[in-house]
Amino acid sequence: MKKFVVGVICGAVVSLGISVSAAEIKNSFVGKKVQSEMTVSVNGKLVSGTAIVIDGASYLPVRAFTNAVGGKVESIKDGRISVVTKDESNTNKPKNGARTKELENAEENVSKKRVERDNLKFEVESLEGGIKYRIDEDKEFMDMEGNLFRYKDTQEYQNDLKSLADKKARIEQLDKEIAELEKELDKLYGFTK
């Protein structure tokens, strides 16, 4: 019986290790469910390709959409796609037309915070799933002294709940920081004053 309990505990430790490793995947849509597809039109003209919806957000084919609004994909490098439009008033450049270090830093900060937020959302989903699974299983475990316990009665459960609350609070904080940075970007682009 003790070997069985030790085996179960080792299995739980290995499972938790795998879920933590999976949480380190950076901002990936791999394995995400596409909820729907949509056609997109610009000024009444259909854009080639379709937009997809994942987790309630729609994603467009960049090149097709950019071409439809009269722009072009300027470059694709270092994990970034740079798009320019023919209408200078509608580009991601300051009013004087030059890209500044301040603008590039602001774009990079927004990007980093979005990646951090998306990674945390993934970690929250994984942690919530792990907690739910362990509660639903509702099995008794035995410690080394032979005492029986349930997951909900452990310090580990309390730690998991605290970690979950901390991650959710950080996501809320990041959402606010991203909104502020996007306002600053709009000013740098010349969209607002």
Side-chain angles (χ1 to χ4, degrees):
M1 178 67 178
K2 284 187 179 182
K3 287 182 182 179
F4 174 76
V5 172
V6 170
V8 169
I9 292 172
C10 289
V13 169
V14 168
S15 296
L16 288 175
I18 291 170
S19 67
V20 170
S21 297
E24 294 175 7
I25 295 172
K26 299 265 188 206
N27 198 19
S28 176
F29 292 114
V30 175
K32 294 279 187 171
K33 181 180 177 191
V34 175
Q35 297 164 326
S36 65
E37 292 184 9
M38 296 184 228
T39 58
V40 178
S41 64
V42 175
N43 298 327
K45 288 184 171 182
L46 282 178
V47 173
S48 65
T50 57
I52 60 172
V53 177
I54 299 174
D55 292 336
S58 55
Y59 298 90
L60 297 168
V62 174
R63 188 173 305 278
F65 183 76
T66 302
N67 291 343
V69 296
K72 70 174 188 164
V73 175
E74 186 177 58
S75 69
I76 302 172
K77 64 181 179 182
D78 300 326
R80 296 179 112 170
I81 300 172
S82 178
V83 174
V84 294
T85 63
K86 292 177 185 172
D87 178 5
E88 283 296 318
S89 66
N90 195 24
T91 62
N92 288 347
K93 294 182 179 180
K95 288 182 181 176
N96 66 8
R99 291 193 53 87
T100 64
K101 191 69 174 165
E102 182 182 15
L103 177 62
E104 289 174 2
N105 287 340
E107 288 173 335
E108 187 175 334
N109 285 339
V110 169
S111 179
K112 284 180 180 178
K113 289 191 183 293
R114 284 181 180 152
V115 167
E116 181 183 355
R117 179 196 57 199
D118 292 345
N119 287 340
L120 282 170
K121 284 181 178 181
F122 180 78
E123 290 176 24
V124 164
E125 287 177 19
S126 297
L127 190 53
E128 285 175 333
I131 291 171
K132 181 182 181 327
Y133 173 78
R134 293 174 81 186
I135 289 173
D136 289 349
E137 284 291 305
D138 197 36
K139 292 183 178 176
E140 288 184 334
F141 297 95
M142 187 179 298
D143 63 16
M144 297 302 212
E145 288 83 38
N147 300 316
L148 292 176
F149 64 92
R150 296 190 183 283
Y151 170 65
K152 286 179 82 171
D153 299 328
T154 66
Q155 184 62 43
E156 182 180 3
Y157 173 67
Q158 297 303 318
N159 293 345
D160 287 347
L161 291 179
K162 181 177 181 341
S163 176
L164 190 61
D166 291 346
K167 289 176 191 305
K168 286 181 176 182
R170 179 65 180 144
I171 290 170
E172 284 183 36
Q173 179 185 358
L174 285 167
D175 283 337
K176 290 176 185 174
E177 291 175 14
I178 290 167
E180 287 300 314
L181 286 169
E182 286 173 340
K183 286 179 188 175
E184 289 300 313
L185 275 175
D186 284 348
K187 288 179 187 175
L188 290 170
Y189 292 150
F191 298 146
T192 61
K193 294 185 178 197

